[in-house]
Amino acid sequence: EPEVTQTPSHQVTQMGQEVILRCVPISNHLYFYWYRQILGQKVEFLVSFYNNEISEKSEIFDDQFSVERPDGSNFTLKIRSTKLEDSAMYFCASSFTGGWANYGYTFGSGTRLTVV
Amino acid sequence: GQQVMQIPQYQHVQEGEDFTTYCNSSTTLSNIQWYKQRPGGHPVFLIQLVKSGEVKKQKRLTFQFGEAKKNSSLHITATQTTDVGTYFCAGNNAGNMLTFGGGTRLMVKP
């Protein structure tokens, strides 16, 4: 069964440093997402990406965050100048369709980001 | 903004007992999806409901979407230890964003 692959599985970074989280979505999927989950809490939407541009973003996704699809397979989330409160599990997800016709996301296994 | 609430937050059941989690949205939804997250794992898609009043079954799991498309429920009959995990509903209102509920963590005693 096709998978969404995320690397690294765990990243520890110093406060103020930049991190890049990487994802390889399912190859024929067209919509890509980043979500985060602070330990024990709900899954929170960050951003959706379609046709090489951001289609929606949440209030969490401020100027500190950016996304990119640098080639035909990778989808990255960059967090500039990390803060302690950025510590969370970051999930990448993809879907073939979007909006009301979304037939469910496939999530990756996540990157646990720890900011110290 | 849209809010999705789930109750209960936690549920302990004896193996063989039934379990239900309830989901309520502050706005009318285009569709609602349900996900299961095992401890230490990632959300795994279970099902999507689109039509008002829709009921879908997957073996021992029954999913319902309310007539007003603002609430939903997941019922598990005769729970097993393999059902352990957190069950999330997630609402979509026509955009690409899914808003997740807080989840119900199910614990099953053998």
Side-chain angles (χ1 to χ4, degrees):
Chain A
E1 190 167 320
E3 289 184 344
V4 174
T5 306
Q6 286 187 246
T7 55
S9 57
H10 194 184
Q11 173 98 47
V12 181
T13 189
Q14 294 256 333
M15 194 168 53
Q17 295 296 305
E18 174 182 286
V19 294
I20 298 176
L21 311 183
R22 291 183 165 81
C23 170
V24 179
I26 292 173
S27 60
N28 67 340
H29 282 185
L30 303 176
Y31 294 79
F32 315 115
Y33 313 88
W34 283 101
Y35 280 78
R36 77 174 185 190
Q37 186 177 34
I38 294 168
L39 187 63
Q41 298 187 23
K42 67 162 70 174
V43 180
E44 298 177 294
F45 171 77
L46 292 178
V47 66
S48 62
F49 192 86
Y50 169 71
N51 201 26
N52 283 318
E53 60 183 24
I54 291 172
S55 52
E56 278 182 273
K57 60 182 181 178
S58 71
E59 292 173 354
I60 303 169
F61 194 88
D62 59 20
D63 292 343
Q64 183 195 6
F65 295 88
S66 61
V67 289
E68 202 175 39
R69 188 153 162 83
D71 53 42
S73 59
N74 290 286
F75 180 50
T76 62
L77 174 69
K78 183 190 288 186
I79 309 175
R80 286 180 280 275
S81 189
T82 49
K83 300 178 276 203
L84 294 176
E85 53 265 38
D86 294 328
S87 295
M89 180 72 90
Y90 287 81
F91 290 109
C92 173
S94 68
S95 63
F96 182 68
T97 53
W100 68 270
N102 179 337
Y103 293 110
Y105 295 0
T106 302
F107 280 83
S109 298
T111 294
R112 179 165 296 287
L113 176 66
T114 304
V115 182
V116 296
Chain B
Q2 180 186 32
Q3 292 186 3
V4 177
M5 290 144 289
Q6 259 184 278
I7 56 169
Q9 198 173 356
Y10 305 95
Q11 182 86 59
H12 287 85
V13 299
Q14 196 73 40
E15 189 173 22
E17 290 181 340
D18 292 357
F19 159 77
T20 304
T21 172
Y22 300 91
C23 180
N24 281 288
S25 170
S26 58
T27 60
T28 303
L29 300 169
S30 296
N31 63 67
I32 195 156
Q33 301 178 14
W34 284 90
Y35 290 79
K36 178 183 179 180
Q37 185 176 28
R38 288 204 160 93
H42 58 278
V44 174
F45 176 73
L46 295 176
I47 209 158
Q48 175 172 274
L49 304 170
V50 179
K51 298 176 188 172
S52 169
E54 189 170 14
V55 177
K56 286 189 176 179
K57 292 193 175 187
Q58 287 180 351
K59 297 182 181 177
R60 294 178 294 104
L61 277 61
T62 302
F63 303 84
Q64 289 189 319
F65 201 10
E67 293 291 339
K69 299 183 74 174
K70 293 180 75 172
N71 56 64
S72 181
S73 65
L74 158 59
H75 179 82
I76 303 178
T77 304
T79 53
Q80 300 173 359
T81 54
T82 52
D83 295 327
V84 163
T86 300
Y87 292 85
F88 290 98
C89 63
N92 178 285
N93 61 355
N96 292 322
M97 181 175 80
L98 273 185
T99 301
F100 278 74
T104 296
R105 185 176 169 193
L106 172 63
M107 289 154 280
V108 180
K109 287 181 271 188

